[in-house]
Amino acid sequence: MLLAHDGRGCRPQDLPRVFSQGFMERQIGFDLHFCAIAIEEMEGRLEVHSDGENQGMQFEILLPTAEG
């Protein structure tokens, strides 16, 4: 699942901290730290990409598929 956010964006050097507790909370209105932990508990991962400030951000949620 790919989620786009067309807001502020993020400097490349700050991307590794995006999921740190409280880092992005004020900028996009929810706590990405909590979301990343919840997705990790489901054995998935949350990834982020931004081309820079004022360029928006893209978040990708990767979850395992059920084995059948």
Side-chain angles (χ1 to χ4, degrees):
M1 174 186 296
L2 185 64
L3 305 170
H5 181 264
D6 60 355
R8 298 174 126 175
C10 187
R11 300 179 308 174
Q13 62 267 35
D14 291 332
L15 285 175
R17 300 182 325 143
V18 166
F19 301 117
S20 298
Q21 188 171 6
F23 180 74
M24 298 292 292
E25 187 172 358
R26 292 182 185 164
Q27 292 183 21
I28 58 176
F30 64 91
D31 194 343
L32 286 171
H33 176 71
F34 172 77
C35 294
I37 289 172
I39 291 167
E40 285 177 11
E41 288 178 359
M42 293 183 278
E43 298 182 10
R45 65 182 196 270
L46 179 58
E47 296 181 354
V48 62
H49 173 76
S50 178
D51 289 328
E53 291 182 291
N54 300 314
Q55 300 296 313
M57 300 177 86
Q58 290 182 335
F59 296 90
E60 189 168 9
I61 300 170
L62 302 161
L63 296 171
T65 58
E67 295 180 9

